[in-house]
Amino acid sequence: MQKSNHQSKKAERRWPLPLVAIGSFAAASLVFLLLAKNTSAPFLCGAGASSSATSLQLEAVLQYATSTVVPQQSLAEISVTFRVLRALAPTNFLVFGLGRDSLMWASLNPHGKTLFLEEDPKWVQTVIGDAPALRAHTVPYRTQLSQADELMRHFRSDPHCSPHKSFLRGNHKCRLALNMLENEVYDTEWDLIMIDAPRGYFPEAPGRMAAIYSAAVMARNRKGAGVTHVFLHDVDRRVEQMYAEAFLCKKYLVKAEGRLWHFEIPPAADINTDFC
């Protein structure tokens, strides 16, 4: 959900009109198809639906029907997360990244809490301006992609990063801990966490090291029953793979589809155990 690559592709490509029409129809059809598959979706339930949820879902269909923008992930990748949302919604869904597909994700979690974490304040204003029903917080990341190897060594040597401590709020010593988030993020037990941001395709970008580490900490610290579903996109990249294997763990990987990995991470029965 890399903001539709808005910073690397500021100039929007001008598509021939027939392709624009086809793309808009396909995107709208995709969103409608996913909503239709959800038999509990208020969009289809009529009398039992709240007006706010119905409005959000209609807004999603309208956006994709009138725009050349299509979701970042493929249908097969989206379907992995969708199947979990369909089973658990309404649920608590935390998404690293705010993009043109955010309205789709929020509409697939009717009556639930969907919160987006985004690195760029200006991009937040742009997206929320077009879709004011979305909720997003800005995250001032303190890492760079070029530091990925160094940060892994830091994790292994600094006791404040240890899974035996495993906390985020107030953890100023571990550079991988997202200690600057709003209290709402810490106070909510997230059932699904999607990591499709921050940017991780040039050296000065924040990279997803801290997002992956922090998602693992949230999952380990879960107090309620069940697992935390973590979805990591762009696993074709070295850093995403390295950090996923270190913190999200291959033994918890339940689905691989395209460039998406789905993990089901249980709470840590013993806080003294390692991440993997």
Side-chain angles (χ1 to χ4, degrees):
M1 197 166 306
Q2 299 169 336
K3 301 170 277 187
S4 300
N5 292 332
H6 74 286
Q7 291 185 327
S8 61
K9 299 179 181 179
K10 290 184 178 179
E12 188 171 334
R13 182 184 299 177
R14 297 183 180 275
W15 295 97
L17 186 57
L19 291 182
V20 170
I22 292 172
S24 299
F25 177 78
S29 299
L30 168 61
V31 175
F32 187 84
L33 173 64
L34 292 173
L35 291 173
K37 282 185 176 181
N38 188 351
T39 56
S40 62
F43 178 71
L44 301 172
C45 291
S50 74
S51 59
S52 60
T54 302
S55 174
L56 183 65
Q57 293 173 330
L58 284 171
E59 187 178 345
V61 174
L62 180 61
Q63 172 179 300
Y64 293 110
T66 58
S67 171
T68 59
V69 177
V70 296
Q72 290 283 105
Q73 298 180 22
S74 68
L75 174 58
E77 292 169 341
I78 291 171
S79 296
V80 174
T81 307
F82 169 72
R83 283 190 287 269
V84 178
L85 281 170
R86 181 171 58 180
L88 299 182
T91 191
N92 294 329
F93 186 17
L94 182 66
V95 183
F96 284 87
L98 183 69
R100 296 302 187 184
D101 51 358
S102 297
L103 192 58
M104 175 191 69
W105 291 123
S107 71
L108 294 175
N109 185 29
H111 305 295
K113 175 188 283 191
T114 304
L115 181 65
F116 300 90
L117 302 180
E118 168 58 39
E119 64 181 285
D120 186 343
K122 292 183 178 179
W123 182 243
V124 170
Q125 293 177 1
T126 298
V127 176
I128 299 299
D130 293 338
L134 298 178
R135 299 185 60 248
H137 295 324
T138 303
V139 180
Y141 290 95
R142 49 180 180 158
T143 59
Q144 290 189 350
L145 180 65
S146 60
Q147 301 169 333
D149 293 327
E150 175 204 341
L151 287 169
M152 186 63 76
R153 293 191 294 270
H154 165 72
F155 155 72
R156 290 172 178 150
S157 63
D158 194 313
H160 294 88
C161 297
S162 166
H164 306 162
K165 289 186 178 290
S166 194
F167 73 102
L168 300 178
R169 179 161 40 192
N171 190 347
H172 304 292
K173 297 293 183 66
C174 179
R175 292 160 59 195
L176 286 171
L178 292 178
N179 66 337
M180 74 296 287
L181 304 177
E182 299 285 345
N183 285 332
E184 178 184 15
V185 180
Y186 303 124
D187 295 337
T188 302
E189 191 153 273
W190 301 102
D191 305 301
L192 288 82
I193 302 175
M194 175 175 288
I195 305 170
D196 205 357
R199 292 168 299 163
Y201 53 89
F202 60 96
E204 296 78 19
R208 298 182 185 171
M209 301 82 68
I212 294 170
Y213 172 87
S214 297
V217 171
M218 292 179 194
R220 283 174 58 86
N221 290 344
R222 182 181 182 88
K223 299 298 187 292
V227 299
T228 302
H229 297 268
V230 179
F231 305 89
L232 175 62
H233 199 226
D234 297 315
V235 296
D236 54 320
R237 302 192 301 212
R238 183 184 74 90
V239 169
E240 276 79 357
Q241 286 190 19
M242 177 173 67
Y243 274 75
E245 292 173 1
F247 301 115
L248 303 179
C249 314
K250 276 293 185 73
K251 64 183 177 181
Y252 299 137
L253 179 64
V254 296
K255 181 71 174 178
E257 183 65 60
R259 295 183 296 131
L260 183 82
W261 282 352
H262 172 202
F263 300 84
E264 293 183 358
I265 304 178
D270 181 358
I271 198 65
N272 291 317
T273 59
D274 292 333
F275 280 101
C276 295

